[in-house]
Amino acid sequence: MRKAQFVAKSIFVLAILGMAAACSPQSNAPTEPPASRGDAELRPLSDFDAFTDNESRADALFDEIGRVIQHPRCVNCHPRTDRPLQGEEGALHQPMVVRGAGGMGQPGMFCTTCHGAENYRNVPGNPAWRLAPAEMAWEGKSLSEICLQIKDEERNGGLSLMELGEHMAEDELVAYGWNPPAHLDRAPGDQESFGALFHAWIDAGAHCPSG
């Protein structure tokens, strides 16, 4: 009986240690921001005043919006498989996790096992942390394909264009793109300017760029 109890306790301790190791920031992960963030600002709406027709204006606006949508902070949570991505190069998530129900992971390794309400050292955090729906996979797609996808109510959760605009401008998980741990690059601009560009694109007819 004592031997069985000892084995059970040992397994429990090993499980706890394994979970702690999985959630701990990697020892070789950088703790400082990247040396170069490139062009960190989004173009102001005034830059698009020269466009005289809505189609050209919408195309140009969505090209700028694409700098955020195709940024690793967004694409990593919109993978084409059931594995989330991480880092600037879109590496497969470590430890290995999969989508699970509602994008929240599988029992034993839910997203919230490691991702808390806030960033913790090198581990991103948000109260709503999860993968985007599989229907909204952006990884490997052109900006035109993504544009058509997010407009499609069959694939965007049934959101109208105005509801989609509110989501982009106000959703707290979208806001993570500008508030990652310090070692990760932020998306260009901020959520307010991104939301303004998105609403301007909708007002211009929500035309998708070709290609």
Side-chain angles (χ1 to χ4, degrees):
M1 175 65 90
R2 288 182 177 178
K3 183 177 181 180
Q5 290 176 334
F6 174 78
V7 171
K9 289 181 179 179
S10 298
I11 293 173
F12 176 75
V13 169
L14 287 173
I16 294 298
L17 290 175
M19 191 70 72
C23 295
S24 296
Q26 296 181 12
S27 59
N28 61 351
T31 57
E32 296 298 323
S36 175
R37 294 187 182 277
D39 185 0
E41 298 301 321
L42 290 170
R43 293 169 62 189
L45 286 177
S46 58
D47 278 8
F48 303 89
D49 290 344
F51 291 94
T52 57
D53 68 283
N54 278 340
E55 185 172 317
S56 298
R57 177 177 168 83
D59 283 354
L61 284 163
F62 205 83
D63 280 341
E64 189 67 8
I65 289 166
R67 295 180 54 216
V68 173
I69 286 177
Q70 294 186 303
H71 191 276
R73 297 292 75 72
C74 295
V75 175
N76 285 356
C77 290
H78 288 257
R80 62 172 175 249
T81 71
D82 285 339
R83 290 279 302 276
L85 308 175
Q86 61 185 181
E88 307 306 332
E89 304 301 324
L92 288 174
H93 189 288
Q94 295 296 336
M96 179 180 173
V97 293
V98 292
R99 182 181 304 279
M104 296 293 295
Q106 293 282 16
M109 190 57 84
F110 290 117
C111 298
T112 51
T113 301
C114 295
H115 296 277
E118 299 177 350
N119 296 338
Y120 173 69
R121 297 180 66 185
N122 291 337
V123 180
N126 185 281
W129 196 265
R130 65 186 184 278
L131 272 181
E135 296 81 8
M136 288 299 293
W138 295 348
E139 180 193 0
K141 294 186 177 179
S142 70
L143 189 58
S144 177
E145 290 173 322
I146 294 173
C147 181
L148 293 170
Q149 185 179 26
I150 65 175
K151 287 172 56 176
D152 184 355
E153 293 187 18
E154 295 292 327
R155 292 184 286 172
N156 73 7
L159 298 179
S160 68
L161 282 175
M162 292 309 298
E163 289 170 331
L164 190 62
E166 292 174 5
H167 168 73
M168 295 296 190
E170 301 174 15
D171 186 84
E172 64 178 356
L173 197 52
V174 174
Y176 160 76
W178 296 277
N179 185 37
H183 73 290
L184 293 173
D185 197 358
R186 298 175 57 207
D190 53 46
Q191 190 171 20
E192 182 179 1
S193 55
F194 173 66
L197 288 168
F198 204 92
H199 280 291
W201 170 72
I202 294 172
D203 292 341
H207 184 269
C208 289
S210 59

